[in-house]
Amino acid sequence: MFMQPKQGGFIGIVAHTMMYEPLTELDQEAASRALAFNAAWTLDPLVFGDYPPEMRRYHGSELPQFSLEEAEIIKGSIDFIGVNHYSTLYVKDCKRCNCTLGGDRSIRGFVYSTGERDGVPIGEATGMPRFFVVPRGMGAIIDYIQKRYHDKPLFVTENGYASLEHQQVRVQDLLHDVKRIEFHKSYLASLAQAIRNGADVRGYFIWTLMDDFEWVNGYGMRFGLYYVDPQTLHRIPKLSARWYKNFLTNRSLNTKENKALSLEAIASL
């Protein structure tokens, strides 16, 4: 921050932000707490100079204390917030009842999170466990961050769809990724509503341009708009790449040119 006036930089941070909804009417406070213990844990110190009050309430002196000098340095030290958002989960309050939780329960807000309610998934499954298709969550998390951080500029730095795959999946099927297009259409519509509600969203980035090495999932988890042949590294645009290009240029996907391009890509395999 000390060099920012000279360099003219625009400094921010990115937070991975799931949206949380109460599993039952009794879990409203738990959903709010889950957001604070996840998204706000990262962002509150950099905006307000301290950890979220929701965390102080439950952890008290267990949380580190910032000195006055430290708080002054970090408070207001970011110009924008980057949001990595993929999905939404239900949460159950584990302060009211016993829950089967992992060892990190104290830093997750003392909640139990799940993608199902009464056996019904919160949204359509994807290739990534617990990443359900829940478009309303995009608008909700943006609204939450906008209100908590007083209209600070936002960028959606990651949002993407992992294909549901099996060992015998055909490359042609990977290229015809209609589900990915439906995902981005619905999430962008939710984001647009949040912008209409007043959120200062200045950018949106799809994860990812090309199929990549996804952590422990390696090359078996495909988020990309472009298919990458693992043997030759040849890159082929999927249907979603055509759609996104046309979305950005306000053109229709259903043109003779684009149909011909899609057929050409498949024929090249």
Side-chain angles (χ1 to χ4, degrees):
M1 289 299 293
F2 300 113
M3 294 296 294
Q4 187 180 14
K6 180 179 179 179
Q7 296 175 338
F10 192 57
I11 300 169
I13 192 170
V14 174
H16 176 71
T17 53
M18 298 288 282
M19 186 59 198
Y20 296 99
E21 297 181 356
L23 184 65
T24 72
E25 285 296 319
L26 298 176
D27 298 312
Q28 298 284 345
E29 195 270 339
S32 177
R33 191 191 325 138
L35 284 166
F37 271 67
N38 287 270
W41 184 17
T42 302
L43 300 172
D44 267 31
L46 301 176
V47 177
F48 304 125
D50 197 6
Y51 290 111
E54 297 94 333
M55 296 188 76
R56 289 284 182 204
R57 175 185 174 189
Y58 287 99
H59 286 295
S61 60
E62 293 177 337
L63 284 174
Q65 295 287 339
F66 295 109
S67 68
L68 291 177
E69 182 181 7
E70 289 171 335
E72 186 62 28
I73 290 173
I74 63 173
K75 183 179 180 180
S77 59
I78 56 173
D79 301 310
F80 71 88
I81 294 171
V83 177
N84 289 0
H85 176 75
Y86 292 85
S87 191
T88 300
L89 294 171
Y90 296 123
V91 292
K92 176 182 178 180
D93 192 350
C94 295
K95 300 295 286 187
R96 296 185 299 101
C97 60
N98 293 325
C99 298
T100 303
L101 295 169
D104 66 346
R105 62 187 181 277
S106 63
I107 64 170
R108 295 299 178 189
F110 302 99
V111 301
Y112 170 75
S113 60
T114 176
E116 293 186 356
R117 175 192 284 157
D118 299 326
V120 180
I122 192 170
E124 186 176 346
T126 70
M128 179 69 81
R130 291 166 65 87
F131 276 22
F132 299 89
V133 180
V134 190
R136 65 180 180 274
M138 172 63 87
I141 192 64
I142 293 297
D143 284 341
Y144 171 82
I145 293 173
Q146 172 216 355
K147 292 171 183 175
R148 189 172 184 113
Y149 302 110
H150 312 310
D151 301 321
K152 190 169 287 292
L154 303 173
F155 291 84
V156 177
T157 42
E158 281 188 29
N159 175 235
Y161 177 87
S163 302
L164 275 170
E165 297 184 20
H166 52 82
Q167 290 184 344
Q168 304 302 320
V169 66
R170 301 182 307 166
V171 174
Q172 289 91 336
D173 295 329
L174 293 175
L175 294 178
H176 193 71
D177 57 342
V178 175
K179 290 292 185 182
R180 181 169 288 106
I181 295 173
E182 293 174 349
F183 174 93
H184 285 293
K185 279 184 176 181
S186 59
Y187 272 69
L188 281 166
S190 184
L191 178 62
Q193 183 58 55
I195 293 171
R196 286 191 288 271
N197 291 342
D200 184 7
V201 179
R202 301 190 182 184
Y204 171 85
F205 298 86
I206 284 180
W207 186 262
T208 178
L209 176 64
M210 296 175 289
D211 290 334
D212 64 311
F213 189 89
E214 276 289 332
W215 301 93
V216 296
N217 296 295
Y219 295 110
M221 184 73 67
R222 299 181 181 274
F223 278 92
L225 302 182
Y226 278 72
Y227 169 80
V228 179
D229 187 309
Q231 302 301 320
T232 66
L233 301 184
H234 180 51
R235 303 168 186 174
I236 303 173
K238 301 175 186 176
L239 190 63
S240 58
R242 312 290 186 192
W243 167 79
Y244 196 47
K245 176 182 178 181
N246 291 325
F247 167 77
L248 295 174
T249 56
N250 199 27
R251 296 172 61 196
S252 172
L253 183 63
N254 298 316
T255 64
K256 291 182 179 180
E257 177 189 359
N258 282 298
K259 288 181 179 179
L261 286 171
S262 298
L263 291 172
E264 179 184 342
I266 293 174
S268 69
L269 297 174

